[in-house]
């Protein structure tokens, strides 16, 4: 089973993806985590990615597609993947469809976690506070970066909703529910 989790930055995609991976034996592929790993390793890609992320912009399609394509080929992805943070544009969605078809695979579910934007700012502040308390940091945990990321989301990613709706794949859950409530909604969609 292959799933795309979709929603605005801070909607809770990562937490739900980790839970789905654990429950269903799938692999959570977070392009954000893959990029943060490259950043921490100091690779050329990581340095470029850090500059782009810190500006609140998106990494180019060709780089992201290559990263995802290679990762899906790894042995641990045989039971399926949960894509979190990819695709973010219609061009990436089309590239994903083509990539999966070339592997004899397809998407089974596209799940949108719907959240009110004011709640996203509260969530990002809570996440930043928790990271400060634990001594960890993440450069994109700020209201300013979230504003930029939301603008990019509305411009580039929102067109994915009609794209996947037209394919009959898009389902939405209420992201304002508790974490367990969102999880229950997702489980109902997955059957």
């Amino acid at each position: 089973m292959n799933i795309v989790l979709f929603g605005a930055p801070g909607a809770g995609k990562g937490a739900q993806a980790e839970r789905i991976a654990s429950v269903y034996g799938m692999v959570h592929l977070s392009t954000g985590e893959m990029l943060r790993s490259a950043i921490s390793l100091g690779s050329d890609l990581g340095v470029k990615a850090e500059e782009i992320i810190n500006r609140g912009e998106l990494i180019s399609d060709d780089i992201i597609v290559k990263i995802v394509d290679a990762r899906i080929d790894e042995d641990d992805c045989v039971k399926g993947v949960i894509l979190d943070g990819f695709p973010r544009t219609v061009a990436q969605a089309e590239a994903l469809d083509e990539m999966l078809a070339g592997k004899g695979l397809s998407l089974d579910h596209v799940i949108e976690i719907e959240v009110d934007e004011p709640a996203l700012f509260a969530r990002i502040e809570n996440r930043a506070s928790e990271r400060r308390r634990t001594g960890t940091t993440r450069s994109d945990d700020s209201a300013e970066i979230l504003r930029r990321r939301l603008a990019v989301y509305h411009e580039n990613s929102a067109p994915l909703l009609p794209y996947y709706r037209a394919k009959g794949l898009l389902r939405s859950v209420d992201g304002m529910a508790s974490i367990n409530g969102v999880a229950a909604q997702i489980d109902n969609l997955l059957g």
Side-chain angles (χ1 to χ4, degrees), residues 15 24 34 56 88 95 105 122 141 146 149 160 185 190:
Y24 294 90
M34 287 187 264
R88 290 191 178 181
L105 303 170
D141 275 347
L146 178 59
R149 290 179 70 204
L160 286 166
Q185 292 173 71
L190 299 180

Side-chain angles (χ1 to χ4, degrees), residues 16 19 178-188:
Q16 292 300 328
R19 188 199 63 80
S178 68
I179 291 173
N180 290 336
V182 173
Q185 292 173 71
I186 290 171
D187 287 343
N188 285 337

Side-chain angles (χ1 to χ4, degrees), residues 35-53:
L35 288 168
R36 281 188 285 279
S37 175
I39 290 167
S40 71
L41 293 172
S43 69
D44 289 341
L45 171 63
V47 170
K48 289 177 190 172
E50 184 172 34
E51 291 170 359
I52 294 167
I53 290 168

Side-chain angles (χ1 to χ4, degrees), residues 2 4 10 14 16 57 64 74 77 89 102 110 131 136 143 172 185:
N2 297 302
V4 169
Q16 292 300 328
E57 298 172 4
I64 295 297
E74 293 182 24
C77 294
T89 65
V110 176
R131 289 185 188 281
T136 60
S172 297
Q185 292 173 71

Side-chain angles (χ1 to χ4, degrees), residues 3 11 37 42 53 63 70 95 104 118 123-124 146 148 173-174 176 184:
I3 300 169
S37 175
I53 290 168
I63 292 172
R123 284 183 181 182
I124 206 86
L146 178 59
R148 282 187 250 154
V173 297
D174 178 8
M176 298 307 295

